[in-house]
Each structure stands twice: as structure tokens, then as C-alpha cells.
Amino acid sequence: MRAYRLLTEDDTAAFCHKVTEALAKGWELYGSPAYAADPETGRMRCAQAVIKDVTGEYAPGLKLGEL
């Protein structure tokens, strides 16, 4: 099965750490990062999709962050 996650965070070092942690756990970048303003907070937000091939079947309760 191929798992998909969209990592998001304010535009701070925390976002880079979140993506780096996913890469260290075997996730791969999928597509380009996105960058947009959050109109409610006035902050810039980042997003990056990642994918990972894992064993097993998909289930709605699957905890993607634990893969």
C-alpha cells in the first residue's frame, strides 16, 4: 500500500523539522511544497506532501504518522 500525508505548519523552522523527520522515517517527497497566507492568523503556512510504501491494507483508522 502507498500511504500519503500532507504535512503543514507555520513558516518556521518547525516545518522544516517536520519534513526532515518524515524523510528520516522513510517518507519521500511528493510534488512541490506550497506556501500561502492564512487569512485568520495573518501568518504564512507551508505544506508538503509525502508518500511511503508500507505493508498491509488501508483502514480508515490507520495512524499515518505512526507508519
Side-chain angles (χ1 to χ4, degrees):
M1 174 187 84
R2 180 167 283 181
Y4 171 91
R5 292 176 64 197
L6 182 64
L7 306 175
T8 62
E9 184 70 51
D10 285 345
D11 183 23
T12 65
F15 175 73
C16 295
H17 285 281
K18 187 181 280 192
V19 174
T20 300
E21 179 183 18
L23 294 173
K25 291 182 176 181
W27 291 85
E28 297 178 29
L29 299 177
Y30 184 76
S32 299
Y35 189 67
D38 182 337
E40 291 188 23
T41 65
R43 296 183 183 150
M44 295 302 290
R45 300 275 298 170
C46 299
Q48 174 64 59
V50 292
I51 57 173
K52 183 177 184 181
D53 289 323
V54 297
T55 58
E57 297 293 321
Y58 172 75
L62 185 65
K63 304 255 187 226
L64 297 171
E66 295 176 4
L67 295 178

